[in-house]
Amino acid sequence: MTGHTPALPGPTTLVVAALALAVGTFAFRFAGPLLRTRISVPPWAEALLATSSVVLLTALVVTTTCYQGHGWAGTARPAGVLVGGVLAWRRLPFVAVILAAAGTTAALRLAGLR
C-alpha cells in the first residue's frame, strides 16, 4: 500500500454525470406512460409486484426501526414507530402522526427507556 488517495473528479465530470443521471431518470419516468399500452403484464405478475412492494417496504421499516449500526436500536424507537403506524392507519393528519411518533420516542427516552 502506498497510501495513494484517488483524485476527485473535476467539475465537468460531475456536471456530465448529473446531466446523464437526470436524462436517465427523466427517460424512466416517461417510459411508463409511453409503454403502458404496448406492454401487457399478466395479472399474476401485477399481483406479485404489488405484494413484493409491500414486503420490501415492510422490511425497510423493520430494519431501520429496530437496528442501529449492528445492534438493537432499543425499545423507544419501535414504540414510536408503532404509535405512528397506528395513527397513520387511523388516517390522522401526517403532521399529527409524525409529532406523536417523535413525542412517544422522546418521552420513552426521557423516562430512561433506551
Side-chain angles (χ1 to χ4, degrees):
M1 290 302 247
T2 59
H4 175 70
T5 305
L8 294 175
T12 305
T13 304
L14 291 176
V15 168
V16 169
L19 286 175
L21 187 61
V23 168
T25 302
F26 212 60
F28 269 113
R29 293 189 70 115
F30 274 113
L34 290 177
L35 297 176
R36 183 166 179 82
T37 57
R38 296 181 184 181
I39 297 174
S40 64
V41 178
W44 64 266
E46 287 184 14
L48 182 65
L49 288 173
T51 302
S52 64
S53 65
V54 171
V55 169
L56 281 173
L57 286 174
T58 302
L60 179 67
V61 167
V62 169
T63 55
T64 56
T65 299
C66 296
Y67 295 100
Q68 183 172 356
H70 293 288
W72 173 246
T75 308
R77 189 190 305 171
V81 170
L82 180 65
V83 167
V86 169
L87 295 180
W89 174 51
R90 302 303 302 165
R91 299 189 184 270
L92 263 69
F94 183 70
V95 173
V97 170
I98 296 299
L99 289 176
T104 300
T105 302
L108 289 174
R109 286 182 178 167
L110 192 62
L113 202 61
R114 188 178 164 260

